[in-house]
Amino acid sequence: MDSISEASLVNMKFFSLTLITVVCCFLSCCDGKDYIVSVKTGNQWWAGTDASVSLIIFQGSRVEVVELDNKYHNDFEAGSMDSFSIQTTKDFDDITSIEMVHDNTGSGAGWFLDTVQIYDQDRNVIYEFPGFKWIEDRTTVIELPVATSP
């Protein structure tokens, strides 16, 4: 009987730890937020890029870096509008600015960024960031203050 009680106790402890882990994981996942990011590439000659592009979102001291990539799709071609469903690990109450960067890979990696829009689905708010600039290499970072917000 004692061995059954010990085994039951061990199983109960394991179940409790597993339940605590699942609840903590669920709660930490819920801190994040879903957004739709739309990026318009200019239609200038050689405006597109094959480089890996990342978005950096700011709200005060809160920062989030997200790589923008639609698998099996040629993103950021000249004149195109690309949309990305992203999930951040933080909930941004109000996005104050963003930065756009790329890793300078691929031939002709320079890229002309036209505009960026971030749609907050929960709040039904669109943040607009006019770019109208070239990002030539990985050292070129474009900081874009929000043009419109709620």
Side-chain angles (χ1 to χ4, degrees):
M1 214 27 123
D2 289 334
S3 64
I4 294 174
S5 297
E6 286 178 35
S8 295
L9 185 59
V10 168
N11 283 338
M12 285 175 51
K13 285 182 180 178
F14 176 75
F15 176 76
S16 296
L17 288 172
T18 303
L19 183 60
I20 289 169
T21 303
V22 168
V23 169
C24 289
C25 187
F26 175 75
L27 291 175
S28 68
C29 291
C30 292
D31 290 340
K33 189 94 159 118
D34 293 323
Y35 297 94
I36 297 175
V37 177
S38 298
V39 179
K40 178 147 178 47
T41 298
N43 58 8
Q44 291 82 343
W45 190 256
W46 295 98
T49 188
D50 290 327
S52 294
V53 174
S54 293
L55 164 70
I56 306 169
I57 303 172
F58 294 92
Q59 178 192 343
S61 62
R62 300 181 84 161
V63 178
E64 181 90 19
V65 179
V66 181
E67 183 178 355
L68 300 177
D69 183 31
N70 287 316
K71 299 283 187 224
Y72 312 111
H73 177 69
N74 199 0
D75 302 315
F76 311 112
E77 293 300 303
S80 69
M81 173 72 86
D82 297 294
S83 293
F84 307 88
S85 293
I86 66 166
Q87 184 175 41
T88 61
T89 58
K90 300 169 184 69
D91 180 2
F92 292 92
D93 296 331
D94 188 31
I95 299 172
T96 55
S97 66
I98 63 170
E99 289 182 358
M100 298 296 293
V101 297
H102 71 67
D103 66 358
N104 203 36
T105 57
S107 61
W111 174 48
F112 190 87
L113 172 64
D114 190 285
T115 55
V116 178
Q117 290 184 340
I118 300 176
Y119 175 56
D120 182 335
Q121 300 174 52
D122 291 343
R123 294 183 181 96
N124 196 29
V125 174
I126 297 175
Y127 299 92
E128 293 185 353
F129 302 90
F132 311 116
K133 296 181 182 172
W134 284 96
I135 301 178
E136 294 295 336
D137 56 36
R138 75 180 75 212
T139 61
T140 306
V141 175
I142 296 182
E143 182 178 350
L144 304 172
V146 66
T148 59
S149 64

